[in-house]
Amino acid sequence: MNDYKKEFIEFMVQCDVLKFGDFTLKSGRKSPFFMNAGAYVTGAQLRKLGRYYAMAIHEKFGDDFDVLFGPAYKGIPLSVACVIAFDELYGKEIKYCSNRKEIKDHGDKGILLGSNMKDGDRVVIIEDVTTSGKSIEETFPIIKVQGNVEIKGMMVSLDRGEKGKGEKSALSEISDLYGFPTGAIVTMKEVIEHLYNHEVNGKVVIDDDIKKRIDAYYEEYGA
C-alpha cells in the first residue's frame, strides 16, 4: 500500500471523518463504521484532502483532462481543493465545475458553478463516497447535457466495497452502467488492513471486537 494511502486512512480517523461503532445508513443497513466527509472543516484539513485526491486521480487517470466536476453540495469544496492541489503538485491547470441544486435565472445564470463545460472537454467526477449510486444518477445527465464531453472517470475517497443495488459494489455498478472507470483513494479492505490493532493518537482504532463486527457486516453485505 502506498504511503499516501496509509496517511490518508489515519487522516480520516484524526479528522473524525471515519468512525467505528453502531450506525444506521440511509439504506437502512446497520453498519459498524461510518464516513462523513462533512467533518473536514478547516483550511489545513481541506488542503491535505485535496492533495490526497489529486495523488489518487493522478495515479488512476493521469492529468490528461480539463474539468473536475464535484456534485453539489459536498463535491463543491472537494473539487476546489483538488484543483488547487493539482496545480501545486503537478503544475497542471484543471478547471473546477459544480452544479447548483436550483437553476439560477439572474446574474451568473444556469445550473453550473465554476467553469462551463464545452464540446471536447474531458471530465473527471469527484465524490466523497458512493453507497447506492444515487448521486451519479443525478450528476450524469447534468454533465452530458452540457455538450459532447468525455467522462474519463470518477474518484471517491473511500470504496466501502459492499453491494450496491445488485451483487456488485456500487462503484462497479456505476462503471458497468455508465461506461467509465471508477476509483477510490482507499478501499475499506485497505482501511481494515492498516488499522487493525494499529494505534492512531495512542488508541487502537480497530480492535478484535470491531474487527469481528466488520467481518460479520461484510458476510452479509460484501460485494
Side-chain angles (χ1 to χ4, degrees), residues 56-75:
I57 290 171
H58 192 268
E59 183 180 303
K60 177 77 175 180
F61 304 121
D63 59 11
D64 190 23
F65 65 100
D66 309 291
V67 178
L68 188 66
F69 185 89
Y73 289 103
K74 288 181 181 178

Side-chain angles (χ1 to χ4, degrees), residues 73-100:
Y73 289 103
K74 288 181 181 178
I76 297 173
L78 296 181
S79 60
V80 172
C82 187
V83 295
I84 292 171
F86 247 93
D87 178 57
E88 292 177 345
L89 292 174
Y90 307 111
K92 174 73 176 183
E93 287 241 322
I94 305 291
K95 295 174 285 187
Y96 97 90
C97 181
S98 295
N99 64 295
R100 296 182 173 96

Side-chain angles (χ1 to χ4, degrees), residues 66-67 69 112 116-125 139-152 180:
D66 309 291
V67 178
F69 185 89
L112 299 181
N116 288 320
M117 286 180 277
K118 61 184 187 302
D119 288 350
D121 275 348
R122 297 154 300 176
V123 181
V124 170
I125 301 168
T139 300
F140 187 78
I142 291 171
I143 294 175
K144 296 304 287 185
V145 79
Q146 304 305 317
N148 184 24
V149 302
E150 176 189 0
I151 299 179
K152 300 281 288 185
F180 55 77

